[in-house]
Amino acid sequence: LAKTTQPISMDSYEGQEVNITCSHNNIATNDYITWYQQFPSQGPRFIIQGYKTKVTNEVASLFIPADRKSSTLSLPRVSLSDTAVYYCLVPRRGYSTLTFGKGTMLLVSP
Amino acid sequence: NAGVTQTPKFQVLKTGQSMTLQCAQDMNHEYMSWYRQDPGMGLRLIHYSVGAGITDQGEVPNGYNVSRSTTEDFPLRLLSAAPSQTSVYFCASSYGVRGGTGELFFGEGSRLTVL
């Protein structure tokens, strides 16, 4: 089982940079790491996906070290609306499916 | 494109009743899946399908049945509802789960209460 491990919760203040790290020791060679954001009463929403080094889009950056056993989601200058649960996903080794962990509950305060 | 459409959005059942949650996608995705989410929990995989005619069990399949007769539709059947199946159900689809294709598109969710 390509299990992922993330912190249960994190606190931040508006305007700060937030980094959430996920460990995925058993990631397969060809698999990508994907991060999702979920607000209450909504389905998760795709944030960013990467394979190695660094990926950046309009909302976040994803840093992946050379051994690919972990990844860090970076949210620049968070706002109150970034309060949500963030999930790191890696395909289960040997399976053609995606399972979620409990995610990281990010609380942004004024 | 409508994306992933789930119906109904809300449903109340009595213990022992059966029902089907509908899920349809118009993106020609091969992969479809059903998750349930309970308060304070992450999403748990119930069943998934990698293409028409192919289904497989996820983490919590007991009490649920699925079929995939077309690429577009992936209904979830509750055979005999139990209070433990009270949850929010999400359907998701994607082109695949490997090789960078694994962006999952989610429906809005179906909130089910079993009395």
Side-chain angles (χ1 to χ4, degrees), chain B residues 18-30:
Chain B
S18 62
M19 77 157 299
T20 300
L21 298 176
Q22 302 290 346
C23 177
Q25 52 90 10
D26 61 358
M27 296 172 282
N28 202 31
H29 286 166
E30 290 294 326

Side-chain angles (χ1 to χ4, degrees), chain B residues 30 49-54 68-71:
Chain B
E30 290 294 326
S49 168
V50 298
I54 305 168
R68 184 93 181 271
S69 56
T70 67
T71 299

